[in-house]
Amino acid sequence: MEKEYELVIQEAEFLNDAKGVFDGTILCMEFFVAKSKAAYDAQTDEPMLQRKDRRRVNELVDKELKAFQKRLEDEPDVRPLRQLDNLFQVLEEGIGGLFSPEDEIEFANLGIEGFIQVHNNPEILGRHSDVLLDKVMRSMEDEM
């Protein structure tokens, strides 16, 4: 029997930087998590990573966001979007390496809320197209 997965979205807010370029920007990460390994929000029943997995992701993201902020301050001649691109490359590699197949967590997407997606893994997204379709259908039902 094939495992069922949940689409889990985890967000992190950028730290305030010296120039205020990215203040309030939300970094969004999407994962597919086996239903048996997912946690659920008590109020909304939305799927999320388990506490230990959220902590692993948050520690990596916090470390990289602090380094990003320092680079923005230390390298004022480098365009902020170039710095952002470098951050995404580091996060893509780092988050992608956090989980093994035994964790039953697959990193699928990284981007800025409502703006851009910089990492889309077509293989993972294709494998979980049924989960994505279900999420879209539920979203449409909620709007009606």
Side-chain angles (χ1 to χ4, degrees):
M1 186 169 151
E2 201 171 304
K3 286 203 177 287
E4 290 188 39
Y5 284 79
E6 292 276 15
L7 175 63
V8 171
I9 299 171
Q10 183 162 328
E11 299 176 339
E13 188 171 343
F14 277 68
L15 303 169
N16 292 339
D17 57 89
K19 293 182 182 178
V21 176
F22 297 105
D23 292 359
T25 301
I26 304 293
L27 177 73
C28 295
M29 298 154 282
E30 293 180 344
F31 302 87
F32 288 100
V33 180
K35 282 189 175 189
S36 62
K37 301 277 181 134
Y40 293 87
D41 184 276
Q43 294 177 348
T44 64
D45 203 34
E46 286 291 315
M48 56 193 211
L49 293 172
Q50 291 182 2
R51 179 175 285 132
K52 66 179 175 50
D53 298 323
R54 281 194 314 269
R55 189 173 298 127
R56 289 168 67 187
V57 171
N58 287 338
E59 286 173 357
L60 173 70
V61 169
D62 288 347
K63 180 182 103 180
E64 295 305 333
L65 285 176
K66 286 176 184 168
F68 170 74
Q69 180 181 18
K70 183 157 177 38
R71 281 193 306 273
L72 283 174
E73 293 169 5
D74 293 349
E75 302 169 4
D77 296 339
V78 178
R79 295 176 54 200
L81 288 179
R82 173 78 59 209
Q83 296 284 16
L84 184 64
D85 185 49
N86 293 338
L87 170 68
F88 284 145
Q89 288 176 8
V90 169
L91 287 175
E92 181 180 333
E93 187 175 308
I95 295 170
L98 281 179
F99 303 107
S100 68
E102 294 80 35
D103 292 315
E104 297 180 302
I105 298 171
E106 296 181 85
F107 173 52
N109 194 347
L110 171 69
I112 293 177
E113 181 180 50
F115 182 53
I116 57 173
Q117 294 179 335
V118 294
H119 169 76
N120 274 311
N121 188 320
E123 181 182 329
I124 291 173
L125 292 170
R127 262 199 320 269
H128 300 290
S129 60
D130 56 327
V131 176
L132 293 170
L133 180 60
D134 182 58
K135 181 102 172 160
V136 168
M137 296 304 287
R138 281 187 286 157
S139 174
M140 289 173 61
E141 286 174 3
D142 291 345
E143 289 181 12
M144 294 181 148

